[in-house]
Amino acid sequence: MATIEAAYDRLRDRIRPLGDQLVLVALWLFFLVFGTWAILTQTDAFAVGVVTGSILALGAIGLTLIYGVLKFAHFAHGDSMMLAGYVAFFALTGTVVGERTDTQPLPWSLSDLPGATDSILDFSFGYGLLIAMAVAAVVMALVFTGLDRLVYRPLRRRGSGIVIFAMASLGIAIAMRSLMLIFWASSPRFYKPGPRHTTDLPFDVRVVTDQFFIFFAAILLALLIYLLLFRTKLGKAMRAFADNPDLAQVSGINTDQIVTWTWIIGGALVAVAGVLLALQSQLKPELGFVLLLPLFAATILGGIGSPQGAFVGGMIIGISQEVAVTFGFISPGYKFSVAFVILIFILLLRPRGLFGAKT
Amino acid sequence: MKLPAVMSADGARPRLRWEQLLTPLTFLAITAALVLMPAERSGWNFDRTISFLTVFATFVAIYALLTLGLNVQWGYTGVFNFGVMAFFLVGANVAAIIAKPPATTEFVEYVGGFGDKLDFIPVLGSEQWLPFLVGVLGAAVFCGVLAFLLSIPALRLREDYLAIATIGIAELLRRVTIEERGLVNGTRGLPGIPRPLSDGIPTQWGRLWDEPDEYKFVILLIASVVLILVFIAVERGIRSPWGRVLRALREDELATAASGKNVFGFKSQGFVLGAMIIGVGGAIYAYANSAISPDTFTHFFGTFIFWAMLMVGGSGNNKGAIMGAYVVWGLWTITLQLQGYTPAHPGPLGFAIPDAVQSRIFFIRDFLLGALIVVVLLLRPQGLVPEERRVSIWVERHARRLRRRGPAPAEQAGSPSD
């Protein structure tokens, strides 16, 4: 009996990595075939999906860094994106809701700078929005580091479990959403209302010109993050810390510094992602929580702690969502469920994701 | 579970004084506000104050039921369910479509509608109670089956993955009720749900109550009886060997598996039981409210508020769950009362809320609730009523007997938490 069991164990140990590889290959094949099919038959939706995907990718990179370094699911990520969009909106237009639901612009805002709202090229915005984006990035980095000092660090010191962190971040998410409702009410907001310029691309694809900006800004930022993580000492330290906190600490890496930098980078990413999202669709406080599913799906699909994975994951989720709705697999009301189904399949088939390290 | 800082493991260090006063003071402050504010606003009208408090107590009982269900899942079994709304929604909708008569107009579409067929038992006019009994049982069974099916894939996931997956499931069910119009009437929700025993019980002295003045006491009674029954059942269950396995699982899955327990089986039982209780809570909610709308079943109101109740009250303690429901729903209701003190109609001592706050008092309330949960996690993670040390009813019975016989043994005064 014992020899049979041992043989079974040996066989299982031999088969398991093979099965793992097979699942990985199958997943990649599936996504590649699906992507090619989508490009060929659903080119319009694919283009929109790439834009949505690049926004999700930015959000997911921030989420995966926080997940990897701090080891908890940051449930306030979607609402942070929305909040960042509103901060930029506030900096740009100076608008807040007054006593009732009337809007009241402040006496001065970025749009009062000379030429700040004149369109750059064919985009719907001027350089004012770029400054507003920078303002949002700084504000969100401060908010994140402040929250870490106030909330997450005491919890860390106490050695709380991941559930407590998740609850705390959920409470913060609710508080953030309420703040948006308090200051800007629930009606949708736009950086600049009205029709936008469109551009014709080859193969009969027409996109809103702003979407070029969204795509290239996202790619540029993702590249910068890649360089930061893989070409600087700080990035190396962050990756080391994410990989093995104890080992990193005994190697002389300053833990507090790594945590602070993670929040700063995460805040900046959240801010840019939020502004781009608002540029692509709209600002609405309720959208934040719904964003969590695609963001987490992208993060887990890519593998927690892997920025390249988060980028690819975000793209896959974004494209699948748009293509599935346009092709008529599902009605628009179920758009989010694409992310959810992918999430469930990944969790069951390959919980460490496409790029995740073996644990 | 890690011991809170104020309670040392050997119980030698005395607890701080304010900690002992915190729970009674919170309770008293909220009760005082709940009694005095409506009394003052109605011009010290006794009937209207009692009426307000009755409705308040009914909903506390319902939310306490839901929180008890969550407590079974999280407080005792350690299953991290971020999708309470899923079971709340299913329970309320199933109970509603069972008790309602079939849909007749084209503006109201829903499946089911057995209310008018369930009148075949000639006791007390069975159309008055049988549909509701079937509705509550149906809600429990539906939620139980749903939870069991979900538990097969979901409970094998890591805690944080489970949280995300349950959020997804809740969102999916919410969308299904909205998008599939023929199911439960889409975005318009289900109005006019009949209420149990609403025609009064006929006796030889006439009907026992008249709608609607006295009916509110009946529904309070129904909700309270269900709550008490569930409370007793859960308390018994948790003190039984079965409950001990659940709590052992919560603390250390590996050790429990090593002592020969079927981890998945027990976890799934805890999850299903909790879901059934949440379903019953949803059913009573539908009957007490007499209408349900998809606006109720949001992630905030359907999930987060019950987590807030459990965390504030103290997870792992059924009394804590009820206390949490009372405190959180009390704060929730008090803010609504505050809305009455406008600058045009100031309260006592000229107390008034400025317009800018008035118009967004609901959002401010949401903000405070979000902040409250963070503060509770930071300053009092064990909640207002911390978990008690609990071994089994037999040990407790024995300890009581010993105590009656003489002074308490030393270990009885040990730490109240495990």
Side-chain angles (χ1 to χ4, degrees):
Chain A
M1 278 308 280
T3 48
I4 296 174
E5 270 176 30
Y8 172 73
D9 279 349
R10 267 204 305 280
L11 191 68
R12 200 183 52 192
D13 287 348
R14 193 109 20 108
I15 285 176
R16 196 178 270 164
L18 199 70
D20 224 33
Q21 290 300 312
L22 269 178
V23 168
L24 186 62
V25 170
L27 280 173
W28 272 115
L29 259 180
F30 173 75
F31 288 127
L32 286 178
V33 169
F34 171 76
T36 324
W37 169 81
I39 292 181
L40 293 177
T41 62
Q42 309 285 322
T43 323
D44 268 327
F46 188 86
V48 180
V50 167
V51 175
T52 326
S54 55
I55 298 170
L56 286 179
L58 282 190
I61 292 173
L63 189 60
T64 212
L65 284 179
I66 296 171
Y67 220 145
V69 170
L70 294 144
K71 309 274 182 261
F72 80 92
H74 185 226
F75 279 101
H77 215 72
D79 287 283
S80 309
M81 265 171 80
M82 268 296 136
L83 184 64
Y86 273 105
V87 169
F89 174 77
F90 179 66
L92 184 67
T93 63
T95 307
V96 272
V97 172
E99 281 205 346
R100 295 260 161 211
T101 48
D102 49 326
T103 53
Q104 282 187 340
L106 293 187
W108 191 87
S109 64
L110 285 175
S111 52
D112 292 329
L113 288 172
T117 50
D118 298 348
S119 292
I120 305 173
L121 304 173
D122 261 352
F123 299 138
S124 69
F125 52 87
Y127 71 85
L129 185 69
L130 301 180
I131 302 179
M133 203 195 276
V135 170
V138 172
V139 169
M140 287 319 287
L142 287 176
V143 166
F144 275 7
T145 42
L147 283 175
D148 185 67
R149 286 289 145 83
L150 276 175
V151 180
Y152 300 125
R153 195 155 78 173
L155 290 179
R156 243 184 344 260
R157 295 253 161 97
R158 202 191 291 157
S160 309
I162 50 175
V163 172
I164 299 298
F165 279 100
M167 274 314 295
S169 64
L170 189 69
I172 289 169
I174 297 287
M176 280 180 173
R177 196 194 65 153
S178 327
L179 279 182
M180 291 183 254
L181 285 163
I182 289 171
F183 288 113
W184 295 286
S186 58
S187 47
R189 311 266 173 204
F190 302 89
Y191 292 127
K192 191 181 178 192
R196 320 253 183 111
H197 279 284
T198 55
T199 308
D200 289 320
L201 292 180
F203 306 109
D204 282 343
V205 177
R206 171 173 285 189
V207 294
V208 179
T209 318
D210 284 353
Q211 290 179 337
F212 277 108
F213 173 77
I214 296 172
F215 179 69
F216 286 110
I219 297 287
L220 184 71
L221 191 60
L223 273 177
L224 283 177
I225 294 294
Y226 180 83
L227 291 179
L228 177 84
L229 284 175
F230 291 87
R231 293 285 180 275
T232 66
K233 207 161 180 188
L234 172 69
K236 203 174 184 177
M238 273 175 76
R239 286 184 295 128
F241 188 81
D243 208 38
N244 188 336
D246 295 334
L247 192 59
Q249 209 164 6
V250 295
S251 322
I253 290 171
N254 184 343
T255 314
D256 272 353
Q257 215 175 354
I258 295 298
V259 169
T260 310
W261 273 108
T262 307
W263 283 115
I264 291 175
I265 296 168
L269 279 166
V270 144
V272 177
V275 173
L276 295 181
L277 178 76
L279 201 60
Q280 157 80 353
S281 60
Q282 58 181 355
L283 281 168
K284 209 171 180 342
E286 285 80 25
L287 291 181
F289 200 81
V290 183
L291 265 175
L292 276 183
L293 273 178
L295 283 176
F296 272 109
T299 304
I300 292 171
L301 173 58
I304 286 170
S306 154
Q308 321 93 294
F311 186 84
V312 173
M315 284 292 180
I316 291 178
I317 301 286
I319 294 167
S320 324
Q321 276 188 350
E322 297 297 333
V323 171
V325 171
T326 319
F327 186 67
F329 280 137
I330 47 169
S331 73
Y334 291 126
K335 193 170 177 180
F336 81 97
S337 66
V338 177
F340 179 56
V341 169
I342 295 178
L343 175 74
I344 293 294
F345 269 94
I346 288 298
L347 284 180
L348 293 179
L349 291 176
R350 196 180 159 84
R352 65 185 157 109
L354 295 176
F355 291 82
K358 208 170 191 172
T359 45
Chain B
M1 196 168 262
K2 208 170 171 294
L3 284 170
V6 285
M7 291 190 283
S8 53
D10 53 4
R13 205 169 115 203
R15 287 215 259 160
L16 296 173
R17 210 174 167 73
W18 74 271
E19 294 253 348
Q20 286 172 326
L21 289 175
L22 181 67
T23 310
L25 278 185
T26 317
F27 183 80
L28 280 180
I30 289 196
T31 312
L34 278 169
V35 174
L36 291 178
M37 282 170 74
E40 194 274 330
R41 283 192 56 215
S42 64
W44 305 99
N45 182 323
F46 182 74
D47 280 350
R48 279 167 69 185
T49 311
I50 287 292
S51 168
F52 169 85
L53 290 176
T54 311
V55 175
F56 170 78
T58 311
F59 281 91
V60 167
I62 293 166
Y63 299 140
L65 258 176
L66 284 146
T67 314
L68 271 183
L70 181 61
N71 192 26
V72 171
Q73 292 186 334
W74 164 242
Y76 291 131
T77 320
V79 174
F80 195 21
N81 178 9
F82 254 5
V84 181
M85 184 244 280
F87 303 112
F88 183 23
L89 174 149
V90 168
N93 277 298
V94 166
I97 58 177
I98 286 179
K100 271 174 87 77
T104 44
T105 63
E106 55 178 311
F107 301 106
V108 185
E109 300 171 79
Y110 51 88
V111 294
F114 311 109
D116 52 351
K117 294 187 191 70
L118 296 167
D119 56 355
F120 47 81
I121 302 178
V123 183
L124 294 175
S126 69
E127 78 282 356
Q128 280 225 54
W129 56 270
L130 189 59
F132 306 99
L133 195 63
V134 175
V136 170
L137 292 178
V141 168
F142 236 85
C143 285
V145 170
L146 178 71
F148 177 70
L149 293 178
L150 291 180
S151 73
I152 295 170
L155 290 190
R156 296 175 198 275
L157 300 176
R158 234 170 66 181
E159 280 172 322
D160 42 350
Y161 292 171
L162 177 65
I164 300 159
T166 46
I167 288 181
I169 289 158
E171 176 72 11
L172 187 68
L173 284 170
R174 189 173 78 91
R175 293 296 175 97
V176 167
T177 57
I178 293 174
E179 299 284 328
E180 308 301 324
R181 283 157 159 251
L183 195 63
V184 285
N185 207 20
T187 47
R188 286 168 295 193
L190 293 170
I193 301 165
R195 310 175 93 185
L197 301 177
S198 55
D199 284 345
I201 294 175
T203 61
Q204 59 198 80
W205 310 283
R207 293 186 179 278
L208 273 187
W209 55 81
D210 293 315
E211 175 84 11
D213 273 3
E214 290 154 21
Y215 182 68
K216 54 183 182 282
F217 299 113
V218 179
I219 194 81
L220 171 62
L221 191 70
I222 294 173
S224 312
V225 166
V226 175
L227 175 65
I228 290 167
L229 288 179
V230 168
F231 177 81
I232 293 172
V234 172
E235 283 282 297
R236 295 296 294 216
I238 245 43
R239 284 158 195 247
S240 71
W242 178 80
R244 272 203 301 284
V245 178
L246 288 192
R247 280 177 298 143
L249 261 178
R250 179 191 71 187
E251 298 301 324
D252 194 337
E253 247 175 60
L254 213 58
T256 320
S259 47
K261 305 292 179 197
N262 178 355
V263 169
F264 175 74
F266 277 98
K267 253 177 131 176
S268 152
Q269 286 164 22
F271 185 61
V272 168
L273 178 69
M276 287 170 80
I277 297 172
I278 295 173
V280 169
I284 308 279
Y285 174 86
Y287 296 145
N289 217 28
S290 185
I292 48 177
S293 138
D295 298 338
T296 309
F297 306 110
T298 58
H299 293 283
F300 179 78
F301 191 81
T303 297
F304 181 74
I305 205 165
F306 301 116
W307 272 99
M309 286 171 179
L310 187 60
M311 287 291 177
V312 168
S315 59
N317 188 330
N318 290 323
K319 286 176 211 135
I322 296 172
M323 182 69 166
Y326 180 75
V327 168
V328 170
W329 194 246
L331 289 172
W332 196 258
T333 316
I334 289 167
T335 33
L336 206 69
Q337 289 290 312
L338 280 176
Q339 221 191 2
Y341 299 115
T342 57
H345 305 278
L349 308 171
F351 174 77
I353 306 237
D355 269 352
V357 178
Q358 281 280 350
S359 59
R360 42 185 77 117
I361 198 155
F362 297 106
F363 306 144
I364 294 173
R365 173 166 79 174
D366 292 5
F367 176 79
L368 292 178
L369 194 64
L372 175 71
I373 199 149
V374 176
V375 169
V376 166
L377 287 175
L378 282 174
L379 299 181
R380 200 171 164 92
Q382 72 273 37
L384 285 175
V385 190
E387 183 171 1
E388 291 157 10
R389 171 167 155 172
R390 202 169 266 184
V391 186
S392 97
I393 38 173
W394 304 111
V395 173
E396 281 162 26
R397 207 168 283 175
H398 189 63
R400 262 202 302 277
R401 212 171 289 152
L402 284 180
R403 223 174 299 149
R404 231 176 285 140
R405 229 178 275 161
E411 68 264 22
Q412 293 288 314
S415 79
S417 168
D418 45 350

